[in-house]
């Protein structure tokens, strides 16, 4: 497996949709290629850091105001 | 195995009943749907438009549109995916109106290879959370995703932030599954490359 082949399998790898044979090849490649090992690790961290951190606040005040506005528009003759 | 299981009823999402009630004019049912998804819709709109006021307007408009078109919802997809699709369309429309971005359609952005080929191979050690405080980390994450072309940003948001499946993301964006996968790979790699500027192990740092 080349580094380009590795990259082309990355999405399926993260989605857990990779075929067992290809998975074994990816794992072998990563053991042998430090660059791809880093790409795998840092891409995984990229995904998890965005998943775990709520980067835009949604304070209660905003939520209540939005909620009221939505319900007013939809049920108060706005629809 | 006793024949107790009923796969047909098992698969019905609780939203289906709420939508049915809402269709018949039950506003309490619709309000429950709003409560369930207002945060998600706001977050999607904010990620795509990168603008809080736009996100507020879009959240209202998306629910209003959903309410008006409730009869058109056939239940072939999840209600949440249908709603996200409305919000994505509203968000992209808003970006086009703002014209602050050159590329606002899901079809553009695809040609660019910028940042899609890994160039930075430094490890991220220590972990970013150990390197930066919560506020600073938030700034970095916002700034970095903001720099991504809208088409990539949208795919990344739905798939990786909102955790929609690849199929649901494709449905919400009107793209094929391979198209979503290709954009997702580029989005992830571009974000990785950009984040690496902040998170990579500095030269002369502690030896692993």
């Amino acid at each position: 497996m080349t580094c380009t082949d590795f990259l082309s399998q990355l999405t399926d790898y993260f989605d857990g949709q990779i075929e067992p044979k290809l998975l074994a090849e990816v794992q072998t490649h990563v053991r042998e290629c430090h660059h791809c090992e880093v790409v795998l690790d840092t891409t995984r961290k990229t995904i998890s850091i965005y998943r775990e951190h709520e980067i835009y606040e949604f304070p209660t005040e905003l939520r209540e105001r939005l909620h009221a506005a939505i319900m007013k528009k939809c049920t108060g003759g706005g629809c | 195995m006793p024949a107790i299981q009923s796969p047909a009823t098992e698969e019905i999402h609780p939203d289906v009943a709420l939508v049915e009630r809402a269709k018949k004019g039950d506003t309490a049912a619709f309000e429950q749907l709003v409560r369930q998804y207002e945060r998600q819709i706001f977050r999607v709109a904010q990620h795509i438009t990168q603008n809080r006021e736009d996100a507020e307007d879009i959240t209202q408009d998306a629910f209003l549109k959903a309410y008006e078109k409730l009869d058109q919802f056939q239940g072939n997809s999840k209600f949440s995916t249908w709603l996200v699709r409305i919000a994505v369309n509203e968000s992209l429309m808003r970006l086009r109106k703002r014209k602050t971005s050159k590329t606002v359609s899901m079809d553009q952005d695809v040609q660019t290879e910028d940042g899609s080929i890994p160039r930075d191979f430094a490890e991220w050690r220590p972990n970013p959370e150990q390197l930066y405080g919560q506020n600073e980390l938030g700034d970095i994450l916002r700034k970095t995703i903001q720099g991504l072309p809208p088409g990539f940003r949208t795919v990344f948001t739905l798939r990786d932030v909102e955790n929609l499946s690849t199929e649901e993301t494709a449905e919400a964006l009107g793209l094929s599954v391979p198209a979503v996968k290709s954009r997702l790979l580029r989005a992830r790699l571009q974000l990785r490359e950009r984040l690496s500027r902040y998170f990579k192990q500095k030269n002369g740092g502690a030896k692993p």
Side-chain angles (χ1 to χ4, degrees), chain B residues 8-103:
Chain B
T9 50
E10 248 181 10
E11 283 172 17
I12 294 176
H13 195 281
D15 287 354
V16 173
L18 287 173
V19 171
E20 283 311 309
R21 281 169 51 199
K23 277 182 183 177
K24 290 175 188 150
D26 182 341
T27 51
F30 185 72
E31 182 159 20
Q32 193 168 330
L33 290 166
V34 174
R35 264 190 212 295
Q36 270 170 217
Y37 296 114
E38 57 198 357
R39 176 183 283 273
Q40 181 182 27
I41 294 304
F42 178 80
R43 200 166 44 207
V44 166
Q46 171 111 47
H47 265 101
I48 298 175
T49 62
Q50 297 291 313
N51 181 290
R52 179 164 152 163
E53 281 161 20
D54 281 349
E56 287 186 31
D57 290 346
I58 289 161
T59 306
Q60 293 184 38
D61 292 349
F63 279 107
L64 185 61
K65 210 161 246 181
Y67 192 79
E68 287 171 342
K69 294 183 170 183
L70 221 43
D71 279 335
Q72 292 174 26
F73 175 68
Q74 299 297 325
N76 299 328
S77 60
K78 278 191 201 166
F79 176 74
S80 57
T81 310
W82 184 70
L83 192 59
V84 165
R85 181 171 190 154
I86 295 174
V88 167
N89 286 339
E90 292 284 320
S91 303
L92 293 176
M93 212 150 43
R94 189 66 61 119
L95 276 187
R96 273 181 219 118
K97 273 188 201 158
R98 237 203 288 147
K99 286 182 183 165
T100 51
S101 175
K102 281 176 241 154
T103 52

Side-chain angles (χ1 to χ4, degrees), chain A residues 7-45:
Chain A
L7 280 182
S8 70
Q9 296 304 321
L10 205 52
T11 304
D12 284 344
Y13 175 87
F14 282 125
D15 291 353
Q17 290 181 344
I18 193 164
E19 292 170 27
K21 187 175 167 287
L22 279 170
L23 175 63
E25 286 181 35
V26 165
Q27 287 166 337
T28 305
H29 179 77
V30 167
R31 270 198 299 273
E32 292 165 355
C33 175
H34 181 61
H35 280 182
C36 287
E37 184 191 10
V38 171
V39 169
L40 185 74
D41 180 57
T42 50
T43 306
R44 190 200 315 272
K45 283 177 179 162

Side-chain angles (χ1 to χ4, degrees), chain B residues 85 88-89 106-107 168-177 179-180:
Chain B
R85 181 171 190 154
V88 167
N89 286 339
M106 290 306 303
D107 302 321
E168 287 165 349
T169 304
E171 200 181 322
L173 301 179
L175 291 172
S176 69
V177 165
V180 167

Side-chain angles (χ1 to χ4, degrees), chain A residues 7 39 43, chain B residues 111-120 148-149 152 184-195 197:
Chain A
L7 280 182
V39 169
T43 306
Chain B
Q111 305 304 327
T112 174
E113 288 288 342
D114 286 356
S116 299
I117 300 161
R119 292 176 204 282
D120 198 320
L148 217 57
F152 290 176
L184 184 61
L185 175 65
R186 291 176 191 205
R188 286 168 168 174
L189 290 176
Q190 286 193 23
L191 280 178
R192 185 205 80 90
E193 201 74 20
R194 287 158 194 253
L195 285 179
R197 293 174 203 159

